[in-house]
Amino acid sequence: MMPRTPWRCFAIACLLLVGATGHAQTKLRAWNIHPDGYPVTEAMKRFASLVAQGTQGRYQVEIFSNATLGDQPKAVQMLKSGEIDLAEFSSGPLSDAAPGLKALNLPFLFTDSAHMFKHLDGKLGERFAAKLQAAGFVVLGWYDGGGRSFYCVNRPLNSFKDLAGARIRVQQSEVYLEMVKLLDATPVALPFKEVMGALEKGDVDCAENNMPSFESTGHYKVAKSVYVTNHVISPEALVVSTKLWASLSAADKTAFSKAGAESAALMRELWNKRVASAIETASKQGVQFVRLKDPAPMVRRMSPLYGKYMNDPSTREELLSIISN
Ligand code: BDP
């Protein structure tokens, strides 16, 4: 009988593993910025279990939540280069890697999430997905980033003019930086996880986000005035790297796509409940919500942005089809 050298033991272990499942297992690394219980995280968990089911356990998705693998702009680059396999991104930072997506960040473009999904679930979504694929990202589901609003520490907000002179945290994303400048305020691009500290220390006066993030980050504990502008109805996307996608068989691609679509449906359902509970939590803690009644003056203030992106050949066509529908 042959002696059991270490390499032989290893080879036998591999054979046993493959024998037990019928095939080898591939582990995939998924990046996520949100905590447990957040709609994005829960939908990604559903995606992971559907992928495992649909590929008979050959693909196992491990979710790294809370941006433990790095902040969003860094993760966008990591996914593009295939260093991570999967992620859920906001269209803000994603548009820096795929400039055609900048159209989606324009203020007051969509009236609400239903209007946004009418486009993203149709032809326009396919066009954006093609642009993303050319940049290294394969879209498996459009998630809801809801309406984003401004909120400040020690600064009552009754009009967008009250934001003038404030230092406002934004995502690292061109349109967001330009939008805040047009409000006569100073944009400060900071990673999501650093915003709470910056608000507490007074490094920034204000920030802007959707209500679930306003609540999950604890920003509502220090920023007590919210101006409900819903200035950007922001899409988010569950994406895999083109490198991973190219390595999948046709049947596995179908399993991944199905899992993506189902996870997006779950996400959107959880989202609406979370918006309501976030507003309730913040209200109970004394947060004052003032609604923007007439968006027209703020829209007029943003007009240089519309001019710029209508003249940009990478965003013009998409903008035209959203505006005309
Ligand atoms: C949240 C998005 C997340 C962004 C974050 C931000 O879900 O992807 O990173 O806003 O403002 O709503 O950075």
Side-chain angles (χ1 to χ4, degrees):
M1 202 164 132
M2 267 172 79
R4 295 229 162 162
T5 53
W7 68 264
R8 206 165 159 258
C9 291
F10 177 72
I12 290 169
C14 288
L15 284 173
L16 286 176
L17 187 73
V18 173
T21 55
H23 27 61
Q25 225 181 46
T26 305
K27 278 204 158 60
L28 302 176
R29 294 183 346 136
W31 179 93
N32 168 34
I33 207 164
H34 294 291
D36 236 29
Y38 197 87
V40 169
T41 315
E42 296 312 302
M44 287 178 83
K45 285 185 196 165
R46 172 70 64 87
F47 174 81
S49 76
L50 289 170
V51 162
Q53 243 177 57
T55 64
Q56 300 77 42
R58 281 176 290 108
Y59 286 92
Q60 296 292 332
V61 177
E62 191 178 353
I63 303 169
F64 295 86
S65 290
N66 280 313
T68 44
L69 297 180
D71 65 20
Q72 191 149 185
K74 180 177 168 210
V76 166
Q77 291 313 319
M78 284 165 81
L79 194 101
K80 195 174 161 72
S81 66
E83 211 180 310
I84 51 173
D85 308 290
L86 225 136
E88 199 275 349
F89 291 134
S90 159
S91 66
L94 202 47
S95 64
D96 278 359
L101 243 74
K102 284 186 183 154
L104 289 172
N105 300 330
L106 280 186
F108 302 106
L109 186 65
F110 297 116
T111 42
D112 52 23
S113 296
H115 181 210
M116 172 177 81
F117 286 131
K118 188 182 112 188
H119 286 289
L120 288 182
D121 293 338
K123 285 263 164 299
L124 199 68
E126 283 169 22
R127 285 213 324 245
F128 282 120
K131 284 181 189 230
L132 278 166
Q133 184 145 3
F137 310 85
V138 178
V139 178
L140 295 185
W142 293 109
Y143 281 19
D144 201 351
R148 296 178 74 103
S149 292
F150 290 98
Y151 47 86
C152 298
V153 180
N154 295 331
R155 182 183 282 255
L157 296 172
N158 294 300
S159 150
F160 70 86
K161 294 191 177 135
D162 294 329
L163 292 164
R167 288 169 59 78
I168 305 179
R169 180 272 168 173
V170 287
Q171 303 181 79
Q172 179 54 56
S173 176
E174 192 183 353
V175 181
Y176 281 84
L177 292 158
E178 293 169 324
M179 173 178 71
V180 165
K181 284 188 198 150
L182 288 172
L183 294 169
D184 292 333
T186 307
V188 181
L190 277 181
F192 188 47
K193 296 290 171 190
E194 290 173 25
V195 185
M196 182 65 183
L199 286 167
E200 279 174 330
K201 277 193 269 156
D203 290 347
V204 294
D205 309 297
C206 311
E208 55 83 54
N209 219 312
N210 52 50
M211 291 302 102
S213 282
F214 174 57
E215 182 260 333
S216 71
T217 50
H219 295 175
Y220 72 97
K221 293 180 185 158
V222 288
K224 297 292 185 189
S225 21
V226 179
Y227 193 38
V228 187
T229 46
N230 289 321
H231 51 272
V232 181
I233 307 293
S234 126
E236 304 203 354
L238 179 71
V239 287
V240 299
S241 69
T242 38
K243 186 173 159 198
L244 166 67
W245 192 246
S247 73
L248 297 178
S249 68
D252 288 342
K253 280 187 176 134
T254 306
F256 273 65
S257 299
K258 249 183 100 206
E262 281 187 40
S263 79
L266 172 69
M267 193 278 165
R268 297 178 196 182
E269 191 188 312
L270 296 175
W271 182 256
N272 293 329
K273 293 185 191 138
R274 185 67 182 239
V275 170
S277 70
I279 294 174
E280 198 188 324
T281 304
S283 304
K284 279 193 188 143
Q285 294 295 312
V287 172
Q288 298 295 314
F289 294 89
V290 174
R291 294 206 148 265
L292 168 78
K293 287 188 199 84
D294 176 12
M298 211 171 158
V299 169
R300 274 198 295 276
R301 183 65 81 84
M302 296 294 134
S303 57
L305 277 183
Y306 308 124
K308 175 175 171 186
Y309 290 100
M310 277 299 267
N311 282 319
D312 181 337
S314 70
T315 43
R316 184 183 160 79
E317 259 188 58
E318 283 73 16
L319 283 177
L320 276 174
S321 63
I322 296 170
I323 295 163
S324 54
N325 268 287

